[in-house]
């Protein structure tokens, strides 16, 4: 016997609870766990969501989640490159580990650069698959020269990167490296080094080179370990050509997920600027603008420091005299509006400048040259017990690996 389902229709309306209000604590808890990129986009949902970043309660939740979502396994240990200013100049590289950085291991630099007396620094402030790229800025007469060496401290293997053919410049011009970076191309399984070079007039009118044959055009060139050669990149550089960059030895570049980043100043006082980024796999150069967002007006010049904070690109900004530091996080590359000022550290007395970021917090140099860590959440200061003289003291992250440098060509 066939069964039928009888549908009973009634004129009685079904009562629906129209109260769609969601408590702020509940919605804030969910929203604070979203990526910054998504948060910015969700601002169009409602007026209250568009004002999230002005809500102190929500911002506290967002900060706490950002810091708790700390993938410490990705950090490794902290690298610190120091030098003794007494002549002859001597560089020392330390590994700082454990929570209080009491465990310090001194690394012996590769033999060819153990006695380097010119500027030495860590490209991109990190190791990639256990491999570091150390840069050396020197001079040959009046001409600046650049040398780089790939080095795996775990295996003691090292390899000099050959000079670029463009370094053998005509006698009428002097090359100057404005920025450089070390990265990994995961598509081609290749380690690469990129650098931006400009040229200056070096000669007088007696130089036997016709003016029409002289070239001072800047170059963006890249080195491939797999090919063991340099080549010039055919990329539009109009957006970066007139910018000012911090010196490479000041740890101005950072690397993350196949992309290298540099901070560029757009004006004399560093009030505006752009983040310059290069994707090693896609060979694309792009920029992310940023406008000054600081309330103090004690000084006109702004200092900037680029770091990687919890797997995000972060910019530390401060005026020259005050000791308050603003930390902005980038939510999405190429999108100016995705910058979010997430932390304010300070005022902290006797602090001169930030150096870098490790798993414990941000490292600062004090006026007495002592280095300290500041926890950006609690703002507790811990002394490291290390002095850093001068202005060049690169800091980075190192993860040990037994991979061979030369194995990529086999």
């Amino acid at each position: 016997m066939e069964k039928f389902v009888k549908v009973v229709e009634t004129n009685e309306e079904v009562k629906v609870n129209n109260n769609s209000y969601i408590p702020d604590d509940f919605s804030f808890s969910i929203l604070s766990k979203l990526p910054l990129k998504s948060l910015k986009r969700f601002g169009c949902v409602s007026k209250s969501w568009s004002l999230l970043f002005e809500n102190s309660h929500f911002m506290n939740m967002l900060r706490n989640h950002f810091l708790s979502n700390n993938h410490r396994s990705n950090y490794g240990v902290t690298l610190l490159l120091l030098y003794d200013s007494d002549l002859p100049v001597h560089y020392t590289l330390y590994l700082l580990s454990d929570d209080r950085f009491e465990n310090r291991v001194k690394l012996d630099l590769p033999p060819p650069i153990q006695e380097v007396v010119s500027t030495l620094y860590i490209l991109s402030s990190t190791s990639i698959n256990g491999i570091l790229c150390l840069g050396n800025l020197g001079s040959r007469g009046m001409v600046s020269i650049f040398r780089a060496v790939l080095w795996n401290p775990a295996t003691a293997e090292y390899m000099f990167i050959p000079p670029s053919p463009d370094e053998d410049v005509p006698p009428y011009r002097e090359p100057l490296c404005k920025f450089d970076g070390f990265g990994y191309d995961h598509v081609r399984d290749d380690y690469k080094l990129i650098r931006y070079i400009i040229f200056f007039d070096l000669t007088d009118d007696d130089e036997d080179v016709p003016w029409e044959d002289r070239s001072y055009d800047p170059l963006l060139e890249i080195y491939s370990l797999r090919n063991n050669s340099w080549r010039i990149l055919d990329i539009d550089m109009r957006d970066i050509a007139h910018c000012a960059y911090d010196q490479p030895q000041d740890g101005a570049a950072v690397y993350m997920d196949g992309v290298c980043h540099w901070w560029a100043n757009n004006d004399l006082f560093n009030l505006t600027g752009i983040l310059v980024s290069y994707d090693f796999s896609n060979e694309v150069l792009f920029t992310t603008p940023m406008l000054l967002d600081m309330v103090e007006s004690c000084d006109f010049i702004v200092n900037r420091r680029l770091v990687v904070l919890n797997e995000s690109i972060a910019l530390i900004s401060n005026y020259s005299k005050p000791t308050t530091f603003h930390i902005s996080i980038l939510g999405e590359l190429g999108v100016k509006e995705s910058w979010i000022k997430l932390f304010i550290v300070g005022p902290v007395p006797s602090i001169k400048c930030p150096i870098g970021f490790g798993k414990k917090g941000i490292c600062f140099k004090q006026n007495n040259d002592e280095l300290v860590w500041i926890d950006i959440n609690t703002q507790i200061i811990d002394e490291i017990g290390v002095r850093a003289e001068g202005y060049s003291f690169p800091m980075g992250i190192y993860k040990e690996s037994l991979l061979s440098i030369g194995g990529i060509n086999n």
Side-chain angles (χ1 to χ4, degrees):
M1 180 177 181
E2 189 174 0
K3 295 183 179 180
F4 295 93
V5 178
K6 185 178 181 180
V7 179
V8 179
E9 295 182 357
T10 67
N11 293 327
E12 188 176 333
E13 294 183 357
V14 178
K15 295 182 180 180
V16 179
N17 183 7
N18 291 322
N19 184 9
S20 59
Y21 173 74
I22 301 176
D24 284 345
D25 282 347
F26 182 73
S27 61
F28 285 1
S29 177
I30 296 175
L31 292 171
S32 66
K33 295 177 175 60
L34 295 177
L36 297 181
K37 175 181 177 180
S38 301
L39 278 177
K40 282 288 188 177
R41 292 180 174 180
F42 288 168
C44 62
V45 173
S46 67
K47 182 177 180 180
S48 61
W49 283 19
S50 68
L51 301 175
L52 280 175
F53 300 106
E54 299 177 21
N55 187 301
S56 59
H57 179 49
F58 172 75
M59 291 303 294
N60 285 333
M61 297 179 71
L62 183 62
R63 293 185 190 100
N64 290 334
H65 177 71
F66 183 85
L67 293 176
S68 63
N69 192 27
N70 187 341
H71 305 286
R72 292 192 170 224
S73 60
N74 294 333
Y75 275 113
V77 297
T78 302
L79 279 169
L80 181 62
L81 181 63
L82 300 176
Y83 76 97
D84 184 353
S85 60
D86 294 336
L87 295 177
V89 174
H90 178 72
Y91 283 89
T92 306
L93 186 62
Y94 290 98
L95 293 181
L96 309 178
S97 57
D98 68 53
D99 286 341
R100 298 191 61 84
F101 297 95
E102 295 173 347
N103 183 16
R104 300 176 199 157
V105 178
K106 179 181 176 182
L107 297 181
D108 292 327
L109 294 169
I113 59 175
Q114 285 180 358
E115 303 302 327
V116 164
V117 296
S118 52
T119 304
L120 185 68
Y121 59 102
I122 306 169
L123 273 72
S124 299
S125 303
T126 190
S127 68
I128 301 176
N129 299 327
I131 298 173
L132 294 168
C133 186
L134 301 180
N136 172 218
L137 291 178
S139 61
R140 183 176 61 244
M142 297 184 64
V143 177
S144 299
I145 59 173
F146 167 81
R147 293 292 179 267
V149 59
L150 299 178
W151 173 45
N152 187 334
T155 63
E157 181 186 12
Y158 64 90
M159 183 189 118
F160 268 105
I161 293 177
S164 161
D166 293 292
E167 286 187 13
D168 296 328
V169 296
Y172 61 83
R173 67 181 187 181
E174 175 187 4
L176 176 64
C177 181
K178 297 197 73 173
F179 65 71
D180 56 33
F182 172 57
Y184 178 67
D185 179 350
H186 65 87
V187 173
R188 301 166 185 82
D189 184 25
D190 194 5
Y191 297 94
K192 294 181 176 180
L193 190 155
I194 185 173
R195 64 177 184 161
Y196 179 45
I197 307 174
I198 61 174
F199 299 95
F200 293 102
D201 187 355
L202 189 64
T203 65
D204 53 33
D205 294 335
D206 294 332
E207 179 61 42
D208 190 21
V209 178
W211 284 103
E212 60 271 18
D213 294 336
R214 301 187 185 190
S215 174
Y216 298 95
D217 295 337
L219 297 177
L220 192 62
E221 58 179 4
I222 193 165
Y223 167 81
S224 162
L225 175 61
R226 182 171 291 281
N227 299 325
N228 193 29
S229 63
W230 291 87
R231 62 185 172 89
I232 298 175
L233 290 173
D234 184 17
I235 292 179
D236 187 350
M237 296 182 288
R238 285 177 295 180
D239 291 341
I240 68 173
H242 301 292
C243 294
Y245 302 86
D246 289 339
Q247 291 299 309
Q249 62 266 29
D250 294 332
V254 296
Y255 170 86
M256 187 180 72
D257 297 335
V259 182
C260 205
H261 310 270
W262 306 266
W263 178 253
N265 305 326
N266 275 357
D267 59 80
L268 181 62
F269 301 107
N270 202 3
L271 298 179
T272 60
I274 57 173
L275 181 73
V276 180
S277 306
Y278 180 77
D279 187 321
F280 283 96
S281 296
N282 297 318
E283 295 197 343
V284 175
L285 186 78
F286 50 97
T287 61
T288 309
M290 183 182 183
L291 184 64
L292 177 71
D293 184 23
M294 297 164 64
V295 296
E296 297 96 335
S297 58
C298 302
D299 200 345
F300 290 104
I301 300 177
V302 179
N303 298 319
R304 309 279 194 181
R305 186 74 179 194
L306 197 63
V307 298
V308 175
L309 179 60
N310 280 18
E311 300 183 343
S312 296
I313 299 300
L315 191 66
I316 305 175
S317 307
N318 68 285
Y319 286 105
S320 296
K321 294 179 181 178
T323 54
T324 299
F325 300 85
H326 303 251
I327 304 175
S328 299
I329 310 297
L330 180 62
E332 184 176 1
L333 284 172
V335 181
K336 176 182 177 180
E337 293 76 18
S338 68
W339 287 102
I340 298 175
K341 186 194 295 183
L342 201 55
F343 301 97
I344 297 179
V345 178
V348 184
S350 304
I351 294 295
K352 182 179 293 186
C353 61
I355 296 178
F357 179 78
K359 61 182 179 181
K360 186 176 177 61
I362 297 177
C363 182
F364 288 84
K365 179 181 178 180
Q366 298 187 115
N367 292 333
N368 61 1
D369 290 338
E370 292 288 340
L371 298 186
V372 296
W373 286 104
I374 299 182
D375 188 309
I376 59 176
N377 187 28
T378 65
Q379 304 210 18
I380 294 176
I381 301 176
D382 284 335
E383 295 184 355
I384 298 178
V386 175
R387 288 176 60 84
E389 300 178 356
Y391 296 94
S392 179
F393 20 75
M395 175 172 286
I397 298 297
Y398 172 72
K399 289 189 69 175
E400 184 178 287
S401 173
L402 298 178
L403 289 177
S404 170
I405 298 174
I408 198 170
N409 291 314
N410 296 331

